[in-house]
Amino acid sequence: MSAAAVPQPRAHQEPTASAARGRRRGLGVALLSGALGAALVLLATSRTWAKGTAAVAKGTLPQHANGDDITGLPGALAVVGLAALVAVFAVNRVGRWVVSGLLTLSGAGIVVSSMLGASDKAALEEKASQATGLADSAIHDVAYTPWPWVAMGGGVLLLLAGVLALGYGRHWPAMSGRYERMGAGGDSDKGGGGSRGAGRARRGGAAPDPERPEELWKALDRGEDPTEA
């Protein structure tokens, strides 16, 4: 009976380790795609999306409009999405579902608004009217740049981060545990010298958990890939 019982724990340990690696990989991908997506959107919306010329009395006047001129929605949603990505690790249970949904909707909104803005020339016409002083000044030779599609790609990355948070976020750790441990260490320092020494020993000997979100953010800052096992 003892020989038959030995394989059982081994069979249960392998999927547990595999699931832990999968959760850590999903967390790393969500952080990478969310941060990169927001950065791409903010960069793209500050660049020129459309160019054209407005007719004036003695010739033409070149006009251009950047992403924020055409639509301010992608940039605003990128900030919201980035805040939601951070908030995913600051809340639990229902709150995590809510902010994950907000992150997903932010990415989807960026994709749609960038797609609509990719062929919009209303901002160019408005600038042409301001330059010529005519209410209905026409814009000619309109050309569009690839930046709206870069913003759309950033929105897709934020959308991916939101989908991962909705699917696997319930297994991700929260940042609050770190501060609880720090608080417990601080309380121990208020006791005698032995307590302070023990507190320092515990703090010095405890290795950081690489699966915690704050450690993954630090890995991103160092240029490391947290999705690697």
Side-chain angles (χ1 to χ4, degrees):
M1 290 180 66
S2 60
V6 171
Q8 253 182 341
R10 293 176 182 172
H12 286 294
Q13 287 172 2
E14 291 182 2
T16 301
S18 176
R21 286 194 299 269
R23 288 195 297 268
R24 185 172 185 271
R25 189 174 294 111
L27 174 55
V29 170
L31 288 174
L32 281 171
S33 61
L36 178 60
L40 283 176
V41 174
L42 293 174
L43 173 65
T45 53
S46 67
R47 298 297 189 267
T48 298
W49 284 23
K51 302 176 183 178
T53 56
V56 293
K58 296 182 179 180
T60 59
L61 188 64
Q63 300 292 323
H64 71 276
N66 61 27
D68 289 325
D69 293 330
I70 293 175
T71 171
L73 194 56
L77 288 176
V79 175
V80 172
L82 189 59
L85 179 63
V86 175
V88 166
F89 306 105
V91 295
N92 290 305
R93 299 184 180 88
V94 177
R96 182 163 290 189
W97 282 96
V98 171
V99 294
S100 298
L102 182 60
L103 175 59
T104 305
L105 291 175
S106 297
I110 291 170
V111 171
V112 173
S113 57
S114 298
M115 187 182 301
L116 294 175
S119 58
D120 192 309
K121 63 178 184 179
L124 282 176
E125 292 173 344
E126 182 180 352
K127 287 195 168 188
S129 298
Q130 293 174 354
T132 61
L134 301 174
D136 297 321
S137 183
I139 193 78
H140 306 283
D141 304 323
V142 178
Y144 299 97
T145 70
W147 285 110
W149 305 102
V150 175
M152 194 183 307
V156 171
L157 290 175
L158 278 167
L159 178 60
L160 172 62
V163 170
L164 288 172
L166 284 173
Y168 303 100
R170 64 185 182 276
H171 301 298
W172 295 347
M175 287 182 178
S176 58
R178 178 188 181 191
Y179 300 107
E180 289 171 3
R181 289 198 303 271
M182 290 176 63
D187 291 341
S188 65
D189 289 342
K190 296 177 182 178
S195 298
R196 286 196 295 271
R200 283 194 297 269
R202 285 195 297 271
R203 289 196 298 274
D209 185 357
E211 294 191 13
R212 298 201 63 80
E214 57 266 27
E215 296 302 328
L216 292 173
W217 280 116
K218 291 178 183 178
L220 287 174
D221 290 338
R222 293 192 299 268
E224 300 174 2
D225 184 359
T227 63
E228 292 181 356

